[in-house]
Amino acid sequence: ARGMLAAMEASVARAQDEKAAEAERAAEARRRAEEQLRGLQEVRAALARARQEVEAGHRQLAAAEREIELRREANADLEHKLGSVTEVAAAARAEADELGTRVG
């Protein structure tokens, strides 16, 4: 009976050891899963920051393109005005030359 009792105690001890080892493995797996989750959260946060930076870059690019277009329009307007001034100056020169010719 003692032998049978000792065998049962040994079996119970082995079962307890197996359960403890299983719980240890589960705890380790949970720890790894939590680490992976933290890593994924860090990647998600980094992606969100990168997305914000890209969006800010797009906004800056769009603003720069608008500024370029405004400057092109202003340059075209100035060129038109310069052309008008040049025409007026040429007409004034021609008139002055004609007056100089009449007077001279």
Side-chain angles (χ1 to χ4, degrees):
R2 283 189 192 171
M4 185 180 273
L5 184 58
M8 289 175 73
E9 286 175 345
S11 176
V12 167
R14 277 193 305 277
Q16 287 175 334
D17 289 345
E18 287 173 11
K19 288 291 182 188
E22 186 178 312
E24 209 172 293
R25 286 190 299 274
E28 178 63 22
R30 184 173 33 257
R31 186 190 61 75
R32 284 193 308 270
E34 288 170 355
E35 284 178 5
Q36 290 173 349
L37 177 61
R38 279 191 299 275
L40 290 173
Q41 288 169 336
E42 289 172 7
V43 168
R44 181 179 291 156
L47 287 172
R49 287 189 303 272
R51 185 178 300 115
Q52 290 172 347
E53 290 175 13
V54 167
E55 289 170 358
H58 282 298
R59 285 190 301 273
Q60 290 173 346
L61 181 58
E65 288 172 343
R66 282 191 302 274
E67 181 67 24
I68 287 169
E69 187 56 33
L70 289 174
R71 288 183 185 201
R72 281 184 182 148
E73 290 172 6
N75 284 346
D77 188 47
L78 287 173
E79 287 175 5
H80 176 72
K81 287 177 181 176
L82 179 59
S84 297
V85 167
T86 302
E87 289 173 14
V88 169
R93 254 190 246 100
E95 192 173 322
D97 287 348
E98 188 177 317
L99 285 176
T101 305
R102 283 190 213 158
V103 173

